[in-house]
Amino acid sequence: MSLQIHKRTKLTPEQRKEIFSRRYEDNVRVAVLAEEYHVSRPTIYKILARGRKRDFSVHNSTNARFRNLRWGMKRLSKIEKDIEDKLKKKAKRYNKNYPGEMVHVDCKRLPLLEGQTQKSPREYLFIAIDDFSRELFAAILPDKAAASAGRFLEQVLEECAYTVETIYSDNGREFRGNPEHHAFAGLCLHNGIGQKFTRPATPRTNGKAERVIRTIMEMWHDKEHFQSPAHRKNSLIRFVNYYKWVKPHRSLENATPGEALCSYFFPEFL
């Protein structure tokens, strides 16, 4: 039986195999593949997820008109309810469309530990949070200089399982500068990551990052007694794991960040 490809399909099975091979054998970035094949990044992620199951077929390629019609009828039945819900919300919560589309970063000077004095070295909490999934990354560093911000970004990129496209931050010197001489900005440029900044003198517009710092301080730092800086750093690692896999989020319909990522990349297993 010959394989029929729907006229609106953008990628053939052979192209899908090629994308999978180029990503995992040639290490071509998702953003580059999306641009070369003229599809969205979420489409590339879906192709890669199906490819891991050796599925390179074109889904929904037949009877598409009837499927779309059924979907449209179901959608129409929900329009009135959706409009009512939106009118009731004074401030709508929003998430980006896919992991890595935007990651918010921020930092905060941590309080002195018991036994430390004003002359003791201060430590800074750096955080990054994925707008789509609310996945949290965090580290404690000895200052808030650009070099420390760069070290933190290296950690984020090493731990992150998806491509980071844009980083959103305030205008602090640790995040903003000439890429030729600035560790954080230079690392963004080297990895093809765009930078966006809050409006001058309005850091509150980076609300998601500020909110997660407040949550970390209230749920973790204020409730623990740290015996040493090393103890505090190890405890932070445990809290980040709790935040990712245990703590439900209202913005994710009470799912955890880990569940949100699994649902996006591996919906067939849920």
CSV table of all heavy atoms in Angstrom, one decimal, residues 3 120 186 238:
chain,number,residue,atom,x,y,z
A,3,LEU,N,2.1,5.0,0.7
A,3,LEU,CA,1.9,6.0,1.8
A,3,LEU,C,1.3,7.3,1.3
A,3,LEU,O,1.9,7.9,0.4
A,3,LEU,CB,3.2,6.2,2.5
A,3,LEU,CG,3.1,7.2,3.7
A,3,LEU,CD1,2.2,6.7,4.8
A,3,LEU,CD2,4.5,7.5,4.2
A,120,SER,N,31.6,39.2,57.7
A,120,SER,CA,31.6,37.9,57.0
A,120,SER,C,31.2,38.0,55.6
A,120,SER,O,30.4,38.9,55.2
A,120,SER,CB,30.7,36.9,57.7
A,120,SER,OG,31.0,36.7,59.1
A,186,GLY,N,28.0,37.3,27.4
A,186,GLY,CA,28.8,36.5,26.4
A,186,GLY,C,28.3,35.1,26.2
A,186,GLY,O,28.3,34.5,25.1
A,238,ARG,N,18.1,20.1,47.9
A,238,ARG,CA,16.9,19.3,48.2
A,238,ARG,C,15.6,20.0,48.0
A,238,ARG,O,14.6,19.5,47.5
A,238,ARG,CB,17.0,18.8,49.7
A,238,ARG,CG,18.1,17.8,50.0
A,238,ARG,CD,18.0,17.2,51.3
A,238,ARG,NE,18.2,18.1,52.4
A,238,ARG,CZ,19.4,18.4,52.9
A,238,ARG,NH1,20.5,17.8,52.5
A,238,ARG,NH2,19.5,19.3,53.9
